[in-house]
Amino acid sequence: MGSRHIPVLVEEVMTFLRCEPGHTYVDATLGGGGHASEILRRSAPDGVLIGMEWDGDALSEARDTLMPFGDRVKILRENFIHLSDLVKAESVDGILLDLGLSSIQLEKGERGFSFRGEGPLDMRMDERTNESAADLVNHLSLEELEYILYHYGEERWAKRIARAIVQEREREPIGTTQTLRKIIYRAIPRRFHSRRIDPATRTFQALRIRVNDELENLRKILEAGWKVLRKGGRMCVISFHSLEDRMVKETFRRLEREGEIRVLTKKPVTPSEEERRGNPRSRSAKLRCAERI
Ligand SMILES: C[S@@+](CC[C@H](N)C(=O)[O-])C[C@H]1O[C@@H](n2cnc3c(N)ncnc32)[C@H](O)[C@@H]1O
């Protein structure tokens, strides 16, 4: 247990953010504080970092990691959708969004994010709010479940899995990650079980996105985040699946057409071969960056 979260695309992000002394940066997804400490190192001696994080476990790890930087760091336990209410307009030089989960969350079985470990079917990143994944699988209608699995998981077996969930919960409420995994395994015909990705991957992704409202949150910050940036300030977004990357790409393009921003990455930046080898989690990472004009 407890290997640290390895930040992805660090050099690439730092190049786009052009960290400088005296500047202010927002890390809207602080996680373990990996990217944040690099931003602080490169903007020494007086660059400021505002960190946002809604997960209590990640937050305490970030506090420890960032302690040496003293009062150059301000940490807010908040959903990043509130960024433009909490930070003064046009006061920031760069924003980083590194979406998805940190290893801190994935590796704790009791958080229920991973289909590999046993744990309660929870998946809430902010433990203070929202319904858990168990609430969803036990209470949503068949149609809603199918919709979520199809749209947020791009799961072609959405209908069969949703039906199996509803059947199973009539016997007994579904409470754990392994119970759900077994239901998924039985629902997808054996010959379609992929060796490359676990049959439970898409369903777990879909539930996590819905539990945490991830796409809606991303949509909101991609619209409102610019307000806190000075002209010339930059926003970097790292995403880990196609639904997010598509939303970033399309929103950036539209805002560019509307004359608000300039896109700096015509194609997404992806990790080097070396990084992919050293950190398998980095393989699906895509970075896009744009500048406020
Ligand atoms: C991939 S991790 C970030 C890792 C970090 N860049 C590092 O180097 O350690 C993503 C983090 O964003 C947080 N997060 C996701 N959505 C959020 C939101 N809407 N508001 C605040 N934090 C969020 C998650 O809890 C998680 O800790």
Side-chain angles (χ1 to χ4, degrees), residues 180-210:
L180 178 62
R181 190 187 197 186
K182 282 185 200 131
I183 297 170
I184 301 164
Y185 269 59
R186 282 199 299 267
I188 302 178
R190 193 118 217 124
R191 65 181 186 286
F192 292 105
H193 286 203
S194 153
R195 246 172 297 158
R196 222 169 32 83
I197 74 160
D198 191 285
T201 307
R202 292 173 183 279
T203 299
F204 272 65
Q205 172 187 306
L207 289 171
R208 199 198 82 205
I209 290 176
R210 173 55 169 46

Coordinates of all heavy atoms in Angstrom, one line a residue, residues 180-210:
L180 N -20.2 -6.3 -7.5 CA -20.5 -5.6 -8.8 C -19.6 -6.2 -9.9 O -20.1 -6.5 -11.0 CB -20.3 -4.1 -8.7 CG -20.6 -3.4 -10.0 CD1 -22.0 -3.5 -10.5 CD2 -20.2 -1.9 -9.9
R181 N -18.4 -6.5 -9.6 CA -17.5 -7.0 -10.7 C -18.0 -8.4 -11.1 O -18.0 -8.6 -12.3 CB -16.1 -7.1 -10.1 CG -15.0 -7.5 -11.1 CD -13.7 -7.8 -10.5 NE -12.6 -7.7 -11.4 CZ -11.4 -8.0 -11.1 NH1 -11.1 -8.4 -9.9 NH2 -10.4 -7.9 -12.0
K182 N -18.5 -9.2 -10.2 CA -18.9 -10.5 -10.6 C -20.2 -10.4 -11.5 O -20.4 -11.1 -12.4 CB -19.3 -11.4 -9.3 CG -18.0 -11.9 -8.7 CD -18.3 -12.8 -7.5 CE -17.1 -13.0 -6.6 NZ -17.4 -12.8 -5.2
I183 N -21.1 -9.5 -11.1 CA -22.3 -9.3 -11.9 C -21.9 -8.9 -13.4 O -22.4 -9.4 -14.3 CB -23.2 -8.2 -11.3 CG1 -23.7 -8.6 -9.9 CG2 -24.4 -7.8 -12.2 CD1 -24.4 -7.5 -9.1
I184 N -20.9 -8.0 -13.5 CA -20.5 -7.5 -14.8 C -19.9 -8.7 -15.6 O -20.2 -8.9 -16.8 CB -19.4 -6.4 -14.7 CG1 -20.0 -5.2 -13.9 CG2 -18.9 -6.0 -16.1 CD1 -19.0 -4.2 -13.5
Y185 N -19.0 -9.5 -14.9 CA -18.4 -10.7 -15.6 C -19.4 -11.6 -16.1 O -19.3 -12.2 -17.2 CB -17.5 -11.4 -14.6 CG -16.1 -10.9 -14.6 CD1 -15.8 -9.6 -14.3 CD2 -15.0 -11.7 -14.9 CE1 -14.5 -9.1 -14.3 CE2 -13.7 -11.3 -14.9 CZ -13.4 -10.0 -14.6 OH -12.2 -9.5 -14.6
R186 N -20.5 -11.8 -15.3 CA -21.5 -12.8 -15.8 C -22.4 -12.2 -16.9 O -22.8 -12.9 -17.8 CB -22.5 -13.2 -14.6 CG -21.8 -14.2 -13.6 CD -22.9 -14.9 -12.8 NE -23.6 -13.9 -12.0 CZ -23.3 -13.6 -10.7 NH1 -22.2 -14.2 -10.1 NH2 -24.0 -12.8 -10.0
A187 N -22.6 -10.8 -16.9 CA -23.4 -10.2 -17.8 C -22.8 -10.1 -19.2 O -23.5 -10.2 -20.3 CB -23.8 -8.8 -17.4
I188 N -21.5 -10.0 -19.3 CA -20.8 -9.9 -20.6 C -20.5 -11.3 -21.1 O -19.8 -12.1 -20.4 CB -19.5 -9.1 -20.6 CG1 -19.9 -7.6 -20.0 CG2 -18.9 -9.0 -21.9 CD1 -18.7 -6.7 -19.9
P189 N -20.9 -11.7 -22.3 CA -20.6 -13.1 -22.7 C -19.1 -13.3 -22.7 O -18.3 -12.5 -23.1 CB -21.1 -13.1 -24.2 CG -22.1 -12.0 -24.3 CD -21.7 -10.9 -23.2
R190 N -18.8 -14.5 -22.2 CA -17.4 -14.9 -21.9 C -16.5 -14.6 -23.1 O -15.4 -14.1 -23.0 CB -17.4 -16.4 -21.6 CG -16.2 -16.9 -21.1 CD -16.0 -17.5 -19.8 NE -14.7 -17.0 -19.3 CZ -14.5 -16.3 -18.2 NH1 -15.5 -16.1 -17.4 NH2 -13.3 -15.9 -17.9
R191 N -17.0 -14.9 -24.3 CA -16.1 -14.8 -25.5 C -15.8 -13.3 -25.8 O -14.9 -13.0 -26.6 CB -16.6 -15.5 -26.7 CG -17.9 -14.9 -27.3 CD -18.4 -15.7 -28.5 NE -19.5 -15.1 -29.1 CZ -20.8 -15.1 -28.6 NH1 -21.0 -15.8 -27.5 NH2 -21.8 -14.6 -29.3
F192 N -16.5 -12.4 -25.2 CA -16.2 -11.0 -25.4 C -15.4 -10.4 -24.2 O -15.2 -9.2 -24.2 CB -17.5 -10.2 -25.6 CG -18.2 -10.5 -26.9 CD1 -19.3 -11.3 -26.9 CD2 -17.7 -10.0 -28.1 CE1 -19.9 -11.6 -28.1 CE2 -18.3 -10.4 -29.3 CZ -19.4 -11.1 -29.3
H193 N -15.0 -11.2 -23.3 CA -14.1 -10.7 -22.2 C -12.7 -10.4 -22.8 O -12.1 -11.3 -23.4 CB -13.9 -11.7 -21.1 CG -15.2 -11.9 -20.2 ND1 -15.1 -12.3 -18.9 CD2 -16.4 -11.5 -20.4 CE1 -16.3 -12.3 -18.4 NE2 -17.2 -11.8 -19.3
S194 N -12.3 -9.1 -22.7 CA -11.1 -8.7 -23.3 C -9.9 -9.1 -22.4 O -10.0 -9.0 -21.2 CB -11.1 -7.2 -23.6 OG -9.8 -6.7 -23.6
R195 N -8.8 -9.5 -23.0 CA -7.6 -9.7 -22.1 C -6.9 -8.4 -21.8 O -6.2 -8.3 -20.9 CB -6.7 -10.7 -22.8 CG -6.6 -12.0 -22.0 CD -5.9 -13.1 -22.7 NE -6.5 -13.4 -24.0 CZ -5.9 -14.0 -25.0 NH1 -4.6 -14.2 -24.9 NH2 -6.6 -14.3 -26.1
R196 N -7.1 -7.4 -22.7 CA -6.4 -6.2 -22.6 C -7.0 -5.3 -21.5 O -6.3 -4.7 -20.8 CB -6.5 -5.4 -24.0 CG -5.2 -4.8 -24.4 CD -5.3 -4.4 -25.9 NE -6.6 -4.0 -26.3 CZ -7.1 -2.8 -26.1 NH1 -6.5 -1.8 -25.5 NH2 -8.4 -2.5 -26.5
I197 N -8.3 -5.1 -21.5 CA -8.9 -4.4 -20.4 C -9.9 -5.2 -19.7 O -10.7 -6.0 -20.3 CB -9.5 -3.0 -20.9 CG1 -10.8 -3.2 -21.6 CG2 -8.5 -2.2 -21.7 CD1 -11.6 -1.9 -21.6
D198 N -9.9 -5.0 -18.4 CA -10.8 -5.8 -17.5 C -12.3 -5.5 -17.9 O -12.6 -4.4 -18.1 CB -10.6 -5.4 -16.1 CG -11.2 -6.4 -15.1 OD1 -12.5 -6.3 -15.0 OD2 -10.6 -7.2 -14.5
P199 N -13.1 -6.5 -18.0 CA -14.5 -6.3 -18.3 C -15.2 -5.3 -17.4 O -16.2 -4.7 -17.8 CB -15.2 -7.7 -18.2 CG -14.0 -8.7 -18.3 CD -12.8 -8.0 -17.8
A200 N -14.7 -5.1 -16.2 CA -15.4 -4.2 -15.3 C -14.9 -2.7 -15.5 O -15.5 -1.8 -14.9 CB -15.1 -4.6 -13.8
T201 N -13.9 -2.5 -16.3 CA -13.3 -1.1 -16.4 C -14.3 -0.1 -16.8 O -14.4 1.0 -16.1 CB -12.2 -1.1 -17.5 OG1 -11.3 -2.2 -17.2 CG2 -11.5 0.2 -17.5
R202 N -15.1 -0.3 -17.8 CA -16.0 0.7 -18.3 C -17.1 1.0 -17.4 O -17.5 2.2 -17.2 CB -16.5 0.3 -19.7 CG -15.5 0.3 -20.7 CD -16.0 -0.3 -22.1 NE -14.9 -0.3 -23.0 CZ -14.5 0.7 -23.7 NH1 -15.0 1.9 -23.6 NH2 -13.5 0.6 -24.6
T203 N -17.7 0.0 -16.7 CA -18.8 0.2 -15.8 C -18.2 1.0 -14.6 O -18.9 2.0 -14.1 CB -19.3 -1.2 -15.3 OG1 -19.8 -1.8 -16.4 CG2 -20.4 -0.9 -14.3
F204 N -17.1 0.7 -14.1 CA -16.5 1.4 -12.9 C -16.3 2.9 -13.3 O -16.5 3.8 -12.6 CB -15.3 0.7 -12.4 CG -15.6 -0.3 -11.4 CD1 -16.3 -1.5 -11.7 CD2 -15.2 -0.2 -10.0 CE1 -16.6 -2.4 -10.7 CE2 -15.5 -1.1 -9.1 CZ -16.2 -2.2 -9.4
Q205 N -15.7 3.1 -14.5 CA -15.5 4.4 -15.0 C -16.8 5.2 -15.1 O -16.9 6.4 -14.6 CB -14.8 4.4 -16.4 CG -14.7 5.8 -17.0 CD -14.2 5.9 -18.4 OE1 -13.2 5.3 -18.7 NE2 -15.0 6.5 -19.3
A206 N -17.8 4.6 -15.6 CA -19.1 5.3 -15.8 C -19.7 5.7 -14.5 O -20.2 6.8 -14.3 CB -20.1 4.3 -16.5
L207 N -19.7 4.8 -13.5 CA -20.3 5.1 -12.2 C -19.5 6.2 -11.5 O -20.1 7.1 -10.9 CB -20.3 3.8 -11.3 CG -21.3 2.8 -11.8 CD1 -21.1 1.5 -11.0 CD2 -22.8 3.3 -11.6
R208 N -18.2 6.1 -11.6 CA -17.3 7.1 -11.0 C -17.6 8.5 -11.6 O -17.8 9.5 -10.8 CB -15.9 6.8 -11.2 CG -14.9 7.4 -10.3 CD -13.5 7.4 -10.8 NE -13.3 8.4 -11.8 CZ -12.4 8.4 -12.8 NH1 -11.7 7.3 -12.9 NH2 -12.3 9.4 -13.5
I209 N -17.8 8.6 -12.9 CA -18.0 9.9 -13.5 C -19.4 10.4 -13.0 O -19.5 11.6 -12.7 CB -18.1 9.7 -15.1 CG1 -16.7 9.4 -15.6 CG2 -18.7 10.9 -15.8 CD1 -16.6 9.1 -17.1
R210 N -20.4 9.5 -12.9 CA -21.7 10.0 -12.5 C -21.7 10.4 -11.0 O -22.3 11.4 -10.6 CB -22.7 8.9 -12.8 CG -24.1 9.1 -12.3 CD -24.7 10.5 -12.8 NE -26.1 10.6 -12.5 CZ -26.8 10.4 -11.4 NH1 -26.2 9.8 -10.4 NH2 -28.1 10.6 -11.4

